[in-house]
Amino acid sequence: MIIKPTNKSVFLETVVYVKCKSHMRETLWEDLRGIANNINLPWLVVGDFNCVLAPEEKKGGKPHSMTKSITFLNCIMDSSLIDAEFISSTYTWCNGRSKRNRVWGRLDRALLNNEWSQRFTDTIVTHLVRIGSDHSPLLITIATSQINIQSYFRFLDFFIQQPDFMDIVKQAWSEEVYESPLWRFHLKFKNTCKKLSWWSKKYVGNIFENTAKMEIRVAELEEKCLNDNSDRNRMSYNNANAHLIMHIKKEEAFL
């Protein structure tokens, strides 16, 4: 796809999913070579390549044989692409099996051409934590912008799922107010919003900060599993991952 972020900027993005069997990949490699020979735009190739480029990109299972990477490496060189630098864990995939059979690998990556490297010098690829999948999402940041967001009370759907939600509402609504019936309704409603806002800040907290902290926790526990793939470490990782999914659902409700 050709993407135009602004009137003065345009780039080409190719999203790939590479076949697991090596003999079925040749058509894709040739397609990438063909694109490389016919464009002069900044070019990003990103996706699941189902192959590692070096032995250090795999942990567990049989030792990686570089012969399995040759056709991929040749395609990268022929297309004048470079492997984008990344932050966070080396591995983007895990088979999730038991201790003896667990394998990690860097199967997902972003490749850039020379025009991209010159145009977008601040490109950052972040390997996010795996959630509900055996692959890590890749977050590719080209530029950042600061947006000032006004803070005000919002009622969020997940409030009603919290065990103390109804207690807060009953307490706020039961406070005596006077004046006309309609004005009393207005004051009770306003008081309930105020109480819920206080409760949300104190007990629910910043939804996005909580998720970010939990992502760090999940990444730390996965690192523990990489160093010591014990039952205890895997249980801690799975438990933290489940809590992270709950936090992400809260983010979705907010959005």
Side-chain angles (χ1 to χ4, degrees):
M1 64 194 79
I2 291 179
I3 299 177
K4 297 180 180 180
T6 66
N7 291 332
K8 297 181 180 180
S9 178
V10 59
F11 63 83
L12 177 68
E13 179 179 2
T14 302
V15 183
V16 303
Y17 172 75
V18 180
K19 299 287 188 179
C20 294
K21 296 182 179 179
S22 57
H23 69 277
M24 301 178 70
R25 301 171 181 171
E26 289 302 325
T27 301
L28 176 59
W29 301 151
E30 287 304 315
D31 286 343
L32 292 178
R33 291 185 179 99
I35 295 173
N37 291 331
N38 290 282
I39 63 162
N40 56 5
L41 293 173
W43 185 29
L44 168 69
V45 186
V46 61
D48 176 7
F49 288 87
N50 264 315
C51 181
V52 301
L53 285 177
E56 58 267 23
E57 291 185 349
K58 180 184 178 184
K59 181 173 182 177
K62 296 180 180 178
H64 176 65
S65 172
M66 282 301 295
T67 57
K68 296 181 179 180
S69 304
I70 294 300
T71 56
F72 185 21
L73 285 166
N74 286 340
C75 175
I76 291 175
M77 289 188 291
D78 294 344
S79 304
S80 299
L81 294 168
I82 59 172
D83 193 14
E85 294 185 5
F86 64 89
I87 58 176
S88 193
S89 173
T90 300
Y91 311 108
T92 66
W93 171 84
C94 177
N95 63 3
R97 295 182 182 175
S98 60
K99 179 177 181 180
R100 295 183 179 179
N101 299 313
R102 182 162 289 204
V103 179
W104 289 268
R106 186 186 173 209
L107 304 186
D108 311 87
R109 67 183 73 236
L111 303 173
L112 319 171
N113 69 352
N114 186 54
E115 285 80 6
W116 181 286
S117 299
Q118 293 179 356
R119 176 67 179 80
F120 304 110
T121 56
D122 56 348
T123 301
I124 300 173
V125 180
T126 305
H127 296 168
L128 303 179
V129 296
R130 293 179 289 110
I131 307 165
S133 171
D134 51 1
H135 287 264
S136 299
L138 301 187
L139 174 63
I140 303 174
T141 305
I142 299 173
T144 58
S145 61
Q146 208 126 38
I147 302 173
N148 294 322
I149 301 175
Q150 184 179 358
S151 177
Y152 57 94
F153 175 73
R154 294 174 185 237
F155 183 88
L156 304 179
D157 289 345
F158 71 82
F159 281 176
I160 62 176
Q161 299 169 4
Q162 307 306 308
D164 52 348
F165 166 76
M166 281 307 301
D167 293 335
I168 297 295
V169 174
K170 288 178 181 178
Q171 179 186 350
W173 202 263
S174 63
E175 291 187 9
E176 287 293 336
V177 292
Y178 302 96
E179 299 293 337
S180 67
L182 188 59
W183 187 247
R184 289 204 305 269
F185 174 81
H186 166 74
L187 291 178
K188 283 178 177 287
F189 189 79
K190 185 177 181 180
N191 186 45
T192 302
C193 291
K194 184 178 179 180
K195 296 285 187 183
L196 283 174
S197 179
W198 168 84
W199 166 78
S200 175
K201 289 178 182 177
K202 186 171 182 179
Y203 294 102
V204 178
N206 186 300
I207 301 169
F208 297 95
E209 284 185 6
N210 290 342
T211 302
K213 290 177 182 177
M214 187 55 66
E215 285 179 340
I216 293 172
R217 176 65 176 158
V218 170
E220 290 173 348
L221 289 172
E222 182 169 29
E223 190 69 25
K224 272 191 173 182
C225 287
L226 288 169
N227 297 322
D228 178 13
N229 192 25
S230 64
D231 292 340
R232 181 178 179 181
N233 284 345
R234 287 200 310 278
M235 286 179 63
S236 297
Y237 168 80
N238 291 334
N239 182 56
N241 198 274
H243 279 85
L244 176 58
I245 292 173
M246 291 172 59
H247 282 289
I248 288 176
K249 287 181 178 178
K250 289 182 179 180
E251 283 190 352
E252 290 175 350
F254 178 87
L255 295 171

